[in-house]
Amino acid sequence: LDALMALCSDGLQRRRSSIERIFERRGWNRSRPAVDTTEIGAPSKNGAVAIDFRLAGGEGAVATSWEYWHPAWRMTRLKPPESR
């Protein structure tokens, strides 16, 4: 989780406790989910790029958005699959 949070924008970093709860509930704090496919969208007018990570086993997709904040890309959105 620390490595993932290092990629996040300041807004997502402030939501760390919420993200930790999501990871705990899904067991992702013990092991990462397997990803079947990755869908990369076209850049928006403001330069943001949506990337969806479709999880193995039909568990849905983790929706993310990324923006380039010099000198690196930062994740600005993290939406897990619908709650189970």
Side-chain angles (χ1 to χ4, degrees), residues 57-77:
E59 292 189 44
V62 176
T64 65
S65 291
W66 297 79
E67 294 178 13
Y68 188 76
W69 295 3
H70 187 72
W73 284 91
R74 305 285 284 193
M75 184 173 20
T76 57
R77 176 177 178 246

Side-chain angles (χ1 to χ4, degrees), residues 15-71:
R15 295 182 43 219
R16 182 183 176 112
S17 60
S18 297
I19 294 170
E20 285 176 347
R21 285 191 300 276
I22 290 168
F23 274 54
E24 277 181 31
R25 186 172 57 244
R26 294 176 176 275
W28 294 351
N29 54 347
R30 291 182 300 281
S31 67
R32 291 176 296 214
V35 174
D36 270 346
T37 60
T38 304
E39 300 169 13
I40 302 172
S44 67
K45 288 182 182 180
N46 70 355
V49 176
I51 303 175
D52 292 345
F53 298 93
R54 189 139 316 270
L55 302 180
E59 292 189 44
V62 176
T64 65
S65 291
W66 297 79
E67 294 178 13
Y68 188 76
W69 295 3
H70 187 72

